[in-house]
Amino acid sequence: MPRKGYKRASGRSVGMPETMAAQNFNRRITAGEALILATAGDGSKTVGFRNLLDLYQELHNMGYRCDQPLKEFLIGSENCVN
């Protein structure tokens, strides 16, 4: 459980931040997810997490939104490199 008086609201999982200003996250990830982060970070899960945040920011700037199928966005986008 996170420190500094974190109180979990009903319906929220352990580690889910209450505010958008939260900077620390306590999440359980699968071995596969850890491998993805490590691969994206050249062996470092922390760097991989930051790289994936950078990637999402680039996609968002190109017009992608999380409710869109990524493959369809990339295929239908003039930003897609073949």
Side-chain angles (χ1 to χ4, degrees):
M1 194 61 118
R3 292 174 280 171
K4 296 187 181 180
Y6 174 84
K7 292 186 179 20
R8 181 173 57 156
S10 63
R12 290 183 173 261
S13 63
V14 174
M16 183 175 261
E18 292 286 330
T19 66
M20 290 298 292
Q23 295 180 358
N24 297 305
F25 303 93
N26 181 17
R27 297 278 192 269
R28 289 195 182 274
I29 61 174
T30 66
E33 291 167 334
L35 181 59
I36 289 169
L37 289 177
T39 301
D42 198 25
S44 169
K45 290 183 284 190
T46 300
V47 172
F49 179 75
R50 290 184 180 134
N51 287 343
L52 290 176
L53 288 177
D54 289 342
L55 176 62
Y56 186 83
Q57 182 178 7
E58 289 294 326
L59 287 169
H60 189 272
N61 291 342
M62 291 169 33
Y64 174 73
R65 299 298 179 262
C66 62
D67 61 341
Q68 298 173 276
L70 182 58
K71 193 171 189 176
E72 288 179 21
F73 173 77
L74 292 174
I75 290 171
S77 172
E78 70 260 2
N79 298 311
C80 183
V81 177
N82 292 327

